Short mmCIF file of all heavy atoms in Angstrom, two decimals:
data_model
loop_
_atom_site.label_atom_id
_atom_site.label_comp_id
_atom_site.label_asym_id
_atom_site.label_seq_id
_atom_site.Cartn_x
_atom_site.Cartn_y
_atom_site.Cartn_z
N SER A 28 75.11 92.96 161.54
CA SER A 28 73.66 93.11 161.79
C SER A 28 72.91 92.74 160.39
O SER A 28 73.36 93.27 159.28
CB SER A 28 73.37 94.57 162.10
OG SER A 28 73.92 94.80 163.42
N GLY A 29 71.84 91.94 160.58
CA GLY A 29 71.11 91.58 159.47
C GLY A 29 70.20 92.81 158.77
O GLY A 29 69.76 93.62 159.60
N SER A 30 69.94 92.86 157.49
CA SER A 30 69.24 93.99 156.91
C SER A 30 67.91 93.52 156.65
O SER A 30 67.77 92.54 155.83
CB SER A 30 70.08 94.55 155.66
OG SER A 30 69.11 95.25 154.87
N ALA A 31 66.85 94.32 156.92
CA ALA A 31 65.64 94.10 156.61
C ALA A 31 65.34 94.25 155.07
O ALA A 31 64.40 93.38 154.51
CB ALA A 31 64.44 94.86 157.27
N ILE A 32 65.98 95.18 154.40
CA ILE A 32 65.83 95.35 152.97
C ILE A 32 66.56 94.21 152.24
O ILE A 32 65.98 93.72 151.24
CB ILE A 32 66.38 96.76 152.61
CG1 ILE A 32 65.35 97.82 153.08
CG2 ILE A 32 66.52 96.74 151.13
CD1 ILE A 32 65.82 99.20 152.70
N HIS A 33 67.69 93.67 152.71
CA HIS A 33 68.30 92.58 152.02
C HIS A 33 67.45 91.38 151.96
O HIS A 33 67.35 90.71 151.08
CB HIS A 33 69.72 92.38 152.62
CG HIS A 33 70.74 93.44 152.24
ND1 HIS A 33 72.06 93.32 152.48
CD2 HIS A 33 70.55 94.65 151.75
CE1 HIS A 33 72.72 94.40 152.18
NE2 HIS A 33 71.79 95.36 151.73
N VAL A 34 66.84 91.01 153.12
CA VAL A 34 66.03 89.90 153.19
C VAL A 34 64.74 90.07 152.33
O VAL A 34 64.28 89.13 151.80
CB VAL A 34 65.87 89.34 154.52
CG1 VAL A 34 64.95 90.33 155.44
CG2 VAL A 34 65.18 88.00 154.65
N LEU A 35 64.25 91.24 152.38
CA LEU A 35 63.10 91.55 151.56
C LEU A 35 63.48 91.21 150.07
O LEU A 35 62.56 90.60 149.39
CB LEU A 35 62.70 93.03 151.78
CG LEU A 35 61.48 93.47 150.85
CD1 LEU A 35 60.77 94.70 151.74
CD2 LEU A 35 61.94 94.03 149.52
N CYS A 36 64.65 91.72 149.64
CA CYS A 36 65.00 91.50 148.20
C CYS A 36 65.05 89.99 147.98
O CYS A 36 64.63 89.57 146.85
CB CYS A 36 66.33 92.17 147.94
SG CYS A 36 66.12 94.02 147.87
N ARG A 37 65.75 89.34 148.87
CA ARG A 37 65.79 87.84 148.65
C ARG A 37 64.43 87.10 148.53
O ARG A 37 64.29 86.25 147.73
CB ARG A 37 66.78 87.16 149.94
CG ARG A 37 66.98 85.73 149.66
CD ARG A 37 67.73 85.22 150.97
NE ARG A 37 69.06 85.77 151.03
CZ ARG A 37 70.09 85.30 150.63
NH1 ARG A 37 70.09 84.19 149.87
NH2 ARG A 37 71.28 85.80 150.81
N ALA A 38 63.64 87.57 149.46
CA ALA A 38 62.19 86.97 149.37
C ALA A 38 61.44 87.35 148.04
O ALA A 38 60.79 86.54 147.43
CB ALA A 38 61.36 87.49 150.58
N GLY A 39 61.66 88.62 147.62
CA GLY A 39 61.03 88.98 146.38
C GLY A 39 61.56 88.14 145.31
O GLY A 39 60.90 87.74 144.30
N TYR A 40 62.95 87.83 145.18
CA TYR A 40 63.55 87.08 144.16
C TYR A 40 62.99 85.72 144.21
O TYR A 40 62.62 85.16 143.13
CB TYR A 40 65.04 87.10 144.29
CG TYR A 40 65.69 86.27 143.31
CD1 TYR A 40 65.84 86.64 142.01
CD2 TYR A 40 66.08 84.95 143.64
CE1 TYR A 40 66.36 85.75 140.95
CE2 TYR A 40 66.80 84.13 142.74
CZ TYR A 40 66.85 84.51 141.45
OH TYR A 40 67.54 83.75 140.53
N LYS A 41 62.89 85.16 145.42
CA LYS A 41 62.27 83.73 145.43
C LYS A 41 61.03 83.59 144.98
O LYS A 41 60.57 82.66 144.25
CB LYS A 41 62.45 83.15 146.92
CG LYS A 41 63.92 82.94 147.31
CD LYS A 41 64.02 82.36 148.85
CE LYS A 41 63.43 81.05 148.92
NZ LYS A 41 64.44 80.02 148.21
N ILE A 42 60.13 84.76 145.31
CA ILE A 42 58.77 84.66 144.91
C ILE A 42 58.78 84.74 143.39
O ILE A 42 58.01 84.10 142.67
CB ILE A 42 58.01 85.78 145.55
CG1 ILE A 42 57.66 85.44 146.99
CG2 ILE A 42 56.61 86.08 144.88
CD1 ILE A 42 57.20 86.57 147.72
N ASP A 43 59.55 85.56 142.88
CA ASP A 43 59.56 85.84 141.51
C ASP A 43 60.04 84.67 140.58
O ASP A 43 59.60 84.38 139.31
CB ASP A 43 60.65 86.93 141.06
CG ASP A 43 60.40 87.43 139.59
OD1 ASP A 43 59.33 87.97 139.30
OD2 ASP A 43 61.36 87.33 138.84
N GLN A 44 60.73 83.66 141.27
CA GLN A 44 61.19 82.42 140.52
C GLN A 44 60.09 81.35 140.68
O GLN A 44 60.33 80.26 140.10
CB GLN A 44 62.45 82.00 141.05
CG GLN A 44 63.48 83.19 140.92
CD GLN A 44 63.74 83.50 139.37
OE1 GLN A 44 64.03 82.71 138.63
NE2 GLN A 44 63.49 84.75 139.15
N ILE A 45 58.97 81.46 141.24
CA ILE A 45 58.06 80.40 141.59
C ILE A 45 57.31 79.92 140.26
O ILE A 45 57.15 80.82 139.35
CB ILE A 45 56.96 80.73 142.58
CG1 ILE A 45 56.27 79.71 143.04
CG2 ILE A 45 56.04 81.89 141.96
CD1 ILE A 45 55.27 79.96 144.19
N GLU A 46 57.14 78.65 140.16
CA GLU A 46 56.45 78.17 138.86
C GLU A 46 54.93 78.39 139.07
O GLU A 46 54.32 78.03 140.11
CB GLU A 46 56.70 76.61 138.70
CG GLU A 46 56.05 75.97 137.55
CD GLU A 46 56.50 74.65 137.35
OE1 GLU A 46 57.28 74.08 138.03
OE2 GLU A 46 55.69 73.99 136.67
N VAL A 47 54.36 79.18 138.29
CA VAL A 47 52.98 79.62 138.36
C VAL A 47 52.02 78.64 137.63
O VAL A 47 52.27 78.34 136.43
CB VAL A 47 52.74 81.11 137.78
CG1 VAL A 47 51.25 81.48 137.96
CG2 VAL A 47 53.74 82.03 138.50
N PRO A 48 51.00 78.00 138.09
CA PRO A 48 50.05 77.19 137.63
C PRO A 48 49.48 77.91 136.45
O PRO A 48 49.04 79.01 136.54
CB PRO A 48 49.10 76.88 138.68
CG PRO A 48 49.78 77.26 139.95
CD PRO A 48 50.71 78.40 139.64
N ALA A 49 49.29 77.11 135.35
CA ALA A 49 48.54 77.73 134.20
C ALA A 49 47.08 77.29 134.26
O ALA A 49 46.18 78.21 133.72
CB ALA A 49 49.10 77.22 132.94
N GLU A 50 46.70 76.31 135.06
CA GLU A 50 45.21 75.91 135.18
C GLU A 50 45.04 75.43 136.62
O GLU A 50 45.69 74.38 136.89
CB GLU A 50 44.96 74.82 134.20
CG GLU A 50 43.42 74.48 134.10
CD GLU A 50 42.56 75.60 133.78
OE1 GLU A 50 42.82 76.46 132.94
OE2 GLU A 50 41.49 75.72 134.40
N PRO A 51 44.30 76.06 137.41
CA PRO A 51 43.60 77.30 137.12
C PRO A 51 44.60 78.41 137.03
O PRO A 51 45.70 78.38 137.82
CB PRO A 51 42.56 77.55 138.24
CG PRO A 51 43.20 76.89 139.37
CD PRO A 51 43.90 75.66 138.68
#
């Protein structure tokens, strides 16, 4: 059975690794 929390953590990690634009 898939875990809602586990996929939440995976999504959070992927978001945290995104390259953030400096301008703007």
Side-chain angles (χ1 to χ4, degrees):
S28 293
S30 167
I32 286 181
H33 288 194
V34 69
L35 179 152
C36 292
R37 186 184 291 269
Y40 176 77
K41 289 182 72 69
I42 289 171
D43 192 61
Q44 299 306 299
I45 194 171
E46 183 177 347
V47 181
E50 186 60 42

